[in-house]
Amino acid sequence: MKLRALALVGLLGLAACDAGQPAAAAPIACASGSIAGQGSSAQATAVTSWIKNYQVACSGAAISYGAVGSGAGVTAFVGGQGNFAGSDSALSAVFASQAQAHCGGPALHLPMVVGPIALAYNVAGVDDLRLKPATIAGIFGGTITAWNDPAIAVDNPGAVLPTTPIRTVHRSDSSGTTDNFTKFLAGTSPWPSGSGSTWKAPGGTAAKGSNGVVAAIERTEGAIGYVEASYARFHELPTALVGNAAGDFVALTDSAAAAQVAGARIVGTGSDLELALDYKTARAGAYPIVLVTYEIVCAKGAGPLVKSFFSYAVSPAGQAAATRLGYAPLPDALRAKVATSVAGLA
């Protein structure tokens, strides 16, 4: 695991260097100073690349980001620590009120990173797995307990499924990935445990962070868990095709995730771009389990460096850098709206 962690650091470093190349074609409008953010680990690789690219172009800027998790990042931000937070979920009513008090006015949700959530698994002899939402809910809810269950067999006609017991893995810490996954379950199937950033369903193995989830899946025969796609890809874990409302079983790809986000509604007002995903969308080819990471910033008082940095992040060059690291790009129409909101920061 230590060697793999070191390899991941090296891989991300090389990817970030590569991501910086095209940015030279679109010069960054630099600002100087120092800013700090914290929050979502799902976006950490993209933000690390953006910081590297920005600081190479803008020697007078110092930017840091701590991947402490969405919940901890938002808590720090509303407590006056740092200039922005990365959150895989929109602010709760309580946090929204605290953020407004901290900002002395509105706090904005700026969608900046799109990533599919993978259903990664470790089942000997099963290389191609298809799961409908109701089947996924039964697996994680504990009513489907073996890999040869009839519900799984219906989703996978002709497949030879083992009698291996199913071992589910979920996050032990407060997580935007959990929030988005449980919203998908609640929005598509009978799911009695509700949604939220902490796991509420009984049973299963709890693991801290995305690395903890993939480690638990790797060492457990019969395991399945939800994790950001980049982690599943790096660890070379197989991932399930997920059924959507159009009747398709869709593979986890960046374009399929972007198709899902393209159907989202903006439920924020003015410059606030909070989104509502339609988990029952009938868009052909849409992969239905996605998360959108927001940068949470003050509409007033964000400062010139926050404005400049996020202007780069939402630019075609910034989004291309994230795409090369395994994220899905913001749909063009949404990207234009985010750019307008960033331009209005003061």
Side-chain angles (χ1 to χ4, degrees):
M1 290 300 294
K2 289 181 179 178
L3 289 174
R4 176 164 280 171
L6 289 171
L8 179 58
V9 170
L11 174 65
L12 299 186
L14 288 171
C17 290
D18 176 68
Q21 299 305 314
I28 295 171
C30 295
S32 59
S34 177
I35 59 173
Q38 58 277 306
S40 163
S41 60
Q43 71 163 359
T45 308
V47 175
T48 298
S49 176
W50 292 337
I51 289 172
K52 178 181 178 64
N53 295 346
Y54 190 92
Q55 292 183 152
V56 166
C58 307
S59 59
I63 306 171
S64 65
Y65 182 76
V68 296
S70 297
V74 170
T75 298
F77 174 73
V78 301
Q81 301 175 36
N83 305 90
F84 67 94
S87 177
D88 301 328
S89 301
L91 297 176
S92 66
V94 171
F95 274 138
S97 176
Q98 293 175 351
Q100 179 153 343
H102 162 62
C103 293
L108 303 182
H109 298 83
L110 301 177
M112 204 68 72
V113 174
V114 174
I117 298 174
L119 290 178
Y121 63 94
N122 176 9
V123 184
V126 178
D127 299 319
D128 183 17
L129 181 65
R130 310 193 315 170
L131 297 173
K132 292 178 181 176
T135 309
I136 298 167
I139 288 170
F140 283 89
T143 59
I144 296 175
T145 59
W147 281 107
N148 66 340
D149 186 280
I152 300 177
V154 168
D155 292 352
N156 297 270
V160 178
L161 299 168
T163 60
T164 308
I166 295 173
R167 313 292 187 190
T168 59
V169 184
H170 58 265
R171 290 278 290 267
S172 63
D173 50 328
S174 178
S175 162
T177 310
T178 297
D179 187 36
N180 283 275
F181 180 57
T182 54
K183 282 178 179 174
F184 159 77
L185 292 175
T188 58
S189 57
W191 176 252
S193 299
S195 61
S197 58
T198 57
W199 186 257
K200 301 180 181 69
T205 297
K208 185 175 181 179
S210 300
N211 280 320
V213 171
V214 294
I217 295 170
E218 285 182 312
R219 66 173 177 259
T220 307
E221 173 63 23
I224 185 171
Y226 59 92
V227 68
E228 295 92 336
S230 58
Y231 288 85
R233 287 166 177 159
F234 178 75
H235 288 260
E236 299 181 347
L237 287 168
T239 59
L241 282 70
V242 177
N244 66 17
D248 302 328
F249 283 97
V250 184
L252 186 157
T253 66
D254 297 332
S255 60
Q260 175 72 11
V261 175
R265 291 183 298 111
I266 295 175
V267 295
T269 58
S271 296
D272 181 48
L273 298 177
E274 179 184 344
L275 301 175
L277 293 168
D278 179 9
Y279 295 108
K280 292 184 178 180
T281 181
R283 282 175 174 259
Y287 181 85
I289 319 178
V290 300
L291 60 80
V292 176
T293 300
Y294 300 100
E295 312 309 332
I296 309 296
V297 299
C298 297
K300 304 297 182 184
L305 182 50
V306 168
K307 181 176 180 177
S308 174
F309 176 60
F310 287 131
S311 292
Y312 161 66
V314 77
S315 72
Q319 288 295 298
T323 302
R324 283 189 295 277
L325 295 173
Y327 298 92
L330 291 173
D332 287 341
L334 178 59
R335 192 196 67 77
K337 290 182 172 66
V338 177
T340 299
S341 290
V342 171
L345 294 176

